[in-house]
Amino acid sequence: MKKALVTGITGQDGVYLAEHLLSQGYDVFGMIRGQNNPRRATVEQAIPQAHIIDGDLLDQGSLIAAISKTQPDEVYNLGAISFVPLSFKQPELTGEVTGLGVTRMLEAIRIVNSKIRFYQASSSEMFGAAKTSPQNEATPFHPRSPYGVAKVYGYYITLNYREAYGIFACNGILFNHESPRRGLDFVTRKISRAAARIKLGLEKKLKLGNLEARRDWGFAGDYVRAMHLMLQQPQPDDYVIGTGESHTVRDFCNAAFRHLGLDWREHVVQDQEFTRPSEVDTLCGDSSKARRILGWEPSVRFPDLVRMMVEADLADLKHEMGPRAASRPSR
Ligand code: NAP
Ligand code: G4F
């Protein structure tokens, strides 16, 4: 039985990836940081078959211990400070976790067993102010946030350990991917949650920043399949993963509210608080290499993704409200 160690197991992708690896017959170890991590119980409930192991990307010794103890065949490094606005507020910590954390994990692999295959969660945020569209593996990087800069560092250190030490290390350059498990602060989930709350009469307004930003939004469940496929190839390489379609934040609002019979223009207000010091205006991924070599393709398109997220939030809120949901006047 193959063994995989996943950092960031408490995050959106960590849970989907662990489920996928378990379905492929893997023994899965999920790394959790901190004392009494509040998300530990959620992970234990969602994926009870996964083993939890302590560790922190800020702590070299804990990574060496985790690798020595679990002796994995594959390591998936999903742990990061992944929220772009937080990276502007805490740029140094972002560099430590999202950037240097990659080096610490690669060092642990090099020291304990350099045969371990390594996946690095690289990001389309590295393209930032790209001059060409869609972006592929050859598109130059121009990051626009401390998060993007830290991911560029993580990308190159992964490449360097491949070239310098022959480690089977791959970068998955993933475009935005979403799901009902997406963190509540990311724009898609913020919209789907608010639309559902407004529908149930729990809220009236939704404050957002830049409505014109364009993203290539796919479904997280599809994207974790690509991570696994990258580590099953004969040679390590880097791959762009995206749908090839991009939409504005405004489009997402329109689709989400319309699905509930609401007009987004009556509820969405713009607030400077949610605009960024420097923005990534538009991203769109060209994953022809992944389609050709990995045989990967997305299964969920934009309208279905929006529907999936809105329906899940509505059901979740109704469940939380219990009988109150039926008696409350909805919009
Ligand atoms: P997420 O939901 O924000 O999860 C981030 C994970 O990182 C959490 O499990 C968090 O654990 C963990 N983490 C934070 N600080 C850590 C530390 N010091 N040591 C170890 N783990 C730490 O992110 P996601 O959406 O699942 O994304 C997974 C990865 O893919 C991230 O690296 C992200 O940057 C990258 N990525 C995401 C997308 C996307 O659209 N989702 C696109 C491209 C790349 P706690 O619960 O302890 O905070
Ligand atoms: O949902 P977002 O916060 O995601 P962003 O910044 O694109 O980053 C996500 O995708 C990256 C892949 O490209 C990952 F690497 C990263 O870890 C993360 O998962 O924002 C999307 C867009 C931005 O242009 C933002 O300015 O939505 C715009 N936006 C407008 N109003 C907002 C809001 N974003 C957030 N979070 N909140 C708003 O109120």
Side-chain angles (χ1 to χ4, degrees), residues 277-317:
S278 49
E279 172 67 296
V280 173
D281 295 323
T282 176
L283 288 173
C284 186
D286 168 8
S287 358
S288 28
K289 178 177 170 184
R291 287 173 193 253
R292 194 175 67 252
I293 297 175
L294 306 178
W296 176 86
E297 54 181 72
S299 73
V300 178
R301 297 201 49 203
F302 179 76
D304 300 317
L305 177 67
V306 179
R307 265 197 295 277
M308 178 202 300
M309 293 180 69
V310 172
E311 287 294 335
D313 272 317
L314 195 61
D316 187 40
L317 288 168

XYZ file of all heavy atoms in Angstrom, residues 277-317:
318
model
N -3.913 46.469 -2.376
C -2.904 47.468 -2.745
C -2.427 47.292 -4.184
O -2.132 48.260 -4.869
C -1.761 47.205 -1.763
C -2.388 46.494 -0.609
C -3.544 45.720 -1.160
N -2.317 46.056 -4.641
C -2.072 45.796 -6.067
C -2.870 44.546 -6.426
O -2.888 43.582 -5.666
C -0.581 45.616 -6.370
O 0.003 44.698 -5.475
N -3.538 44.613 -7.561
C -4.535 43.589 -7.928
C -4.031 42.742 -9.102
O -3.228 43.197 -9.917
C -5.844 44.316 -8.309
C -6.965 43.468 -8.894
C -7.589 42.467 -7.929
O -6.868 41.559 -7.490
O -8.809 42.593 -7.651
N -4.512 41.519 -9.162
C -4.350 40.684 -10.362
C -5.672 40.824 -11.120
O -6.711 40.343 -10.664
C -4.087 39.213 -9.976
C -4.101 38.324 -11.200
C -2.759 39.096 -9.231
N -5.612 41.512 -12.248
C -6.862 41.855 -12.938
C -7.517 40.659 -13.608
O -8.729 40.513 -13.583
C -6.605 42.945 -13.996
C -6.180 44.244 -13.345
O -6.720 44.552 -12.271
O -5.291 44.934 -13.896
N -6.696 39.832 -14.254
C -7.301 38.761 -15.043
C -6.380 37.546 -15.137
O -5.168 37.691 -15.309
C -7.695 39.296 -16.454
O -8.199 38.214 -17.232
C -6.549 39.953 -17.169
N -6.969 36.370 -14.990
C -6.220 35.108 -15.112
C -7.046 34.108 -15.898
O -8.272 34.019 -15.713
C -5.933 34.512 -13.722
C -4.899 35.210 -12.835
C -4.868 34.579 -11.446
C -3.510 35.179 -13.467
N -6.359 33.357 -16.760
C -7.034 32.304 -17.517
C -5.991 31.241 -17.880
O -4.932 31.578 -18.410
C -7.657 32.914 -18.775
S -8.647 31.725 -19.684
N -6.282 30.002 -17.570
C -5.265 28.954 -17.712
C -5.356 28.160 -19.005
O -6.440 27.783 -19.438
N -4.191 27.891 -19.585
C -4.112 26.996 -20.750
C -3.502 25.683 -20.264
O -2.289 25.586 -20.089
C -3.238 27.653 -21.826
C -2.854 26.674 -22.941
O -3.387 25.536 -22.950
O -2.006 27.040 -23.779
N -4.338 24.684 -20.037
C -3.811 23.398 -19.513
C -3.658 22.364 -20.598
O -3.822 21.170 -20.324
C -4.677 22.829 -18.410
O -5.714 23.569 -18.082
N -3.310 22.785 -21.816
C -3.191 21.761 -22.871
C -2.112 20.725 -22.562
O -2.262 19.554 -22.892
C -3.012 22.370 -24.253
O -2.395 23.590 -24.208
N -1.030 21.145 -21.861
C 0.024 20.166 -21.530
C -0.527 19.088 -20.577
O -0.294 17.894 -20.788
C 1.208 20.900 -20.882
C 2.330 19.989 -20.450
C 3.495 20.807 -19.887
C 4.544 19.950 -19.218
N 5.605 20.770 -18.593
N -1.262 19.509 -19.567
C -1.835 18.537 -18.608
C -2.858 17.639 -19.295
O -2.938 16.439 -19.019
C -2.476 19.266 -17.438
N -3.617 18.211 -20.207
C -4.624 17.400 -20.927
C -3.915 16.343 -21.771
O -4.345 15.192 -21.823
C -5.500 18.296 -21.809
C -6.481 19.142 -20.993
C -7.209 20.148 -21.881
N -7.904 21.157 -21.082
C -9.219 21.230 -20.919
N -10.014 20.358 -21.495
N -9.756 22.179 -20.184
N -2.822 16.764 -22.408
C -2.105 15.859 -23.317
C -1.330 14.786 -22.551
O -1.437 13.596 -22.852
C -1.129 16.700 -24.159
C -0.551 15.994 -25.373
C 0.306 16.922 -26.214
N 1.529 17.356 -25.556
C 1.771 18.568 -25.080
N 0.858 19.511 -25.191
N 2.923 18.876 -24.499
N -0.573 15.203 -21.533
C 0.338 14.251 -20.868
C -0.346 13.512 -19.711
O -0.170 12.303 -19.553
C 1.616 14.977 -20.388
C 2.349 15.532 -21.619
C 2.532 14.034 -19.598
C 3.563 16.370 -21.312
N -1.117 14.235 -18.927
C -1.750 13.588 -17.763
C -3.111 12.985 -18.110
O -3.661 12.199 -17.342
C -1.964 14.607 -16.623
C -0.743 15.404 -16.137
C -1.153 16.390 -15.039
C 0.336 14.458 -15.599
N -3.675 13.402 -19.244
C -5.031 12.970 -19.592
C -6.059 13.600 -18.660
O -7.159 13.098 -18.475
N -5.684 14.764 -18.069
C -6.570 15.427 -17.099
C -7.542 16.371 -17.810
O -7.157 17.046 -18.761
C -5.748 16.246 -16.091
C -6.622 17.012 -15.131
C -7.157 16.540 -13.959
C -7.081 18.363 -15.260
N -7.916 17.523 -13.365
C -7.889 18.646 -14.140
C -6.895 19.370 -16.224
C -8.510 19.889 -13.936
C -7.518 20.599 -16.027
C -8.317 20.847 -14.893
N -8.767 16.398 -17.359
C -9.656 17.494 -17.771
C -10.692 17.779 -16.696
O -11.023 16.897 -15.905
C -10.314 17.231 -19.119
C -11.050 15.943 -19.262
C -11.614 15.852 -20.665
O -10.816 15.655 -21.614
O -12.834 16.014 -20.781
N -11.164 19.040 -16.656
C -12.145 19.378 -15.617
C -13.506 18.788 -15.948
O -13.856 18.650 -17.125
C -12.191 20.910 -15.672
C -11.727 21.283 -17.032
C -10.818 20.189 -17.509
N -14.291 18.467 -14.900
C -15.621 17.897 -15.156
C -16.744 18.877 -14.810
O -17.882 18.650 -15.168
C -15.798 16.606 -14.345
O -15.967 16.911 -12.973
N -16.402 19.950 -14.088
C -17.455 20.883 -13.637
C -17.243 22.244 -14.284
O -16.163 22.831 -14.162
C -17.439 21.029 -12.090
C -18.487 22.030 -11.620
C -17.659 19.678 -11.415
N -18.283 22.742 -14.940
C -18.167 24.056 -15.584
C -18.738 25.146 -14.683
O -19.440 24.870 -13.709
C -18.847 24.025 -16.954
C -18.128 23.035 -17.872
C -18.374 23.293 -19.311
N -18.182 24.690 -19.689
C -18.738 25.243 -20.760
N -19.496 24.517 -21.555
N -18.529 26.497 -21.056
N -18.431 26.404 -15.056
C -18.749 27.553 -14.208
C -20.190 27.567 -13.661
O -20.392 27.674 -12.449
C -18.402 28.836 -14.969
C -18.708 30.102 -14.223
C -17.890 30.528 -13.183
C -19.812 30.872 -14.560
C -18.172 31.698 -12.489
C -20.094 32.042 -13.872
C -19.272 32.459 -12.835
N -21.219 27.449 -14.512
C -22.589 27.561 -13.968
C -22.895 26.452 -12.947
O -23.588 26.697 -11.961
C -23.498 27.409 -15.198
C -22.614 27.510 -16.384
C -21.214 27.232 -15.974
N -22.336 25.262 -13.193
C -22.577 24.148 -12.260
C -21.835 24.349 -10.941
O -22.319 23.964 -9.880
C -22.172 22.823 -12.904
C -22.970 22.578 -14.174
O -24.193 22.824 -14.145
O -22.366 22.214 -15.195
N -20.654 24.954 -11.038
C -19.884 25.245 -9.828
C -20.645 26.250 -8.952
O -20.784 26.072 -7.742
C -18.508 25.810 -10.227
C -17.602 26.241 -9.083
C -17.157 25.044 -8.243
C -16.367 26.972 -9.617
N -21.154 27.294 -9.581
C -21.895 28.316 -8.825
C -23.120 27.676 -8.165
O -23.366 27.850 -6.960
C -22.333 29.487 -9.744
C -23.114 30.531 -8.952
C -21.128 30.124 -10.427
N -23.849 26.900 -8.946
C -25.057 26.237 -8.405
C -24.700 25.329 -7.231
O -25.364 25.341 -6.197
C -25.720 25.388 -9.497
C -26.828 26.120 -10.230
C -27.723 25.147 -10.978
N -27.030 24.450 -12.054
C -26.838 24.954 -13.272
N -27.298 26.156 -13.575
N -26.196 24.266 -14.200
N -23.626 24.543 -7.417
C -23.204 23.604 -6.369
C -22.932 24.350 -5.055
O -23.359 23.942 -3.976
C -21.909 22.895 -6.824
C -21.325 21.938 -5.825
S -19.555 21.623 -6.106
C -19.488 20.954 -7.714
N -22.240 25.478 -5.165
C -21.847 26.211 -3.955
C -23.041 26.878 -3.293
O -23.196 26.845 -2.070
C -20.750 27.232 -4.301
C -19.448 26.549 -4.697
S -18.122 27.687 -5.117
C -17.738 28.423 -3.527
N -23.913 27.463 -4.106
C -25.089 28.141 -3.547
C -26.022 27.125 -2.880
O -26.500 27.336 -1.753
C -25.836 28.930 -4.647
C -27.161 29.471 -4.140
C -24.964 30.071 -5.162
N -26.254 26.015 -3.562
C -27.139 24.976 -3.003
C -26.579 24.440 -1.688
O -27.326 24.208 -0.734
C -27.303 23.814 -3.995
C -28.178 24.140 -5.196
C -29.642 24.382 -4.801
O -30.066 23.860 -3.773
O -30.337 25.121 -5.527
N -25.278 24.228 -1.646
C -24.659 23.682 -0.427
C -24.795 24.675 0.724
O -25.109 24.292 1.856
C -23.193 23.353 -0.679
N -24.583 25.970 0.441
C -24.707 26.955 1.522
C -26.152 27.074 2.002
O -26.406 27.203 3.203
C -24.155 28.317 1.066
C -22.657 28.417 1.350
O -22.244 28.003 2.447
O -21.910 28.876 0.476
N -27.072 27.015 1.051
C -28.488 27.106 1.437
C -28.868 25.923 2.339
O -29.479 26.107 3.399
C -29.343 27.104 0.162
C -30.790 27.542 0.292
C -30.890 28.977 0.787
C -31.506 27.412 -1.067
N -28.464 24.730 1.935
C -28.798 23.531 2.715
C -28.149 23.598 4.098
O -28.779 23.287 5.115
C -28.329 22.287 1.961
N -26.906 24.052 4.114
C -26.159 24.138 5.369
C -26.834 25.123 6.339
O -27.032 24.831 7.528
C -24.752 24.631 4.971
C -23.797 24.617 6.113
O -23.857 23.663 6.886
O -22.980 25.561 6.223
N -27.218 26.281 5.810
C -27.853 27.290 6.669
C -29.217 26.819 7.153
O -29.583 27.024 8.319
C -28.002 28.619 5.907
C -26.703 29.388 5.665
C -26.925 30.509 4.653
C -26.176 29.974 6.970
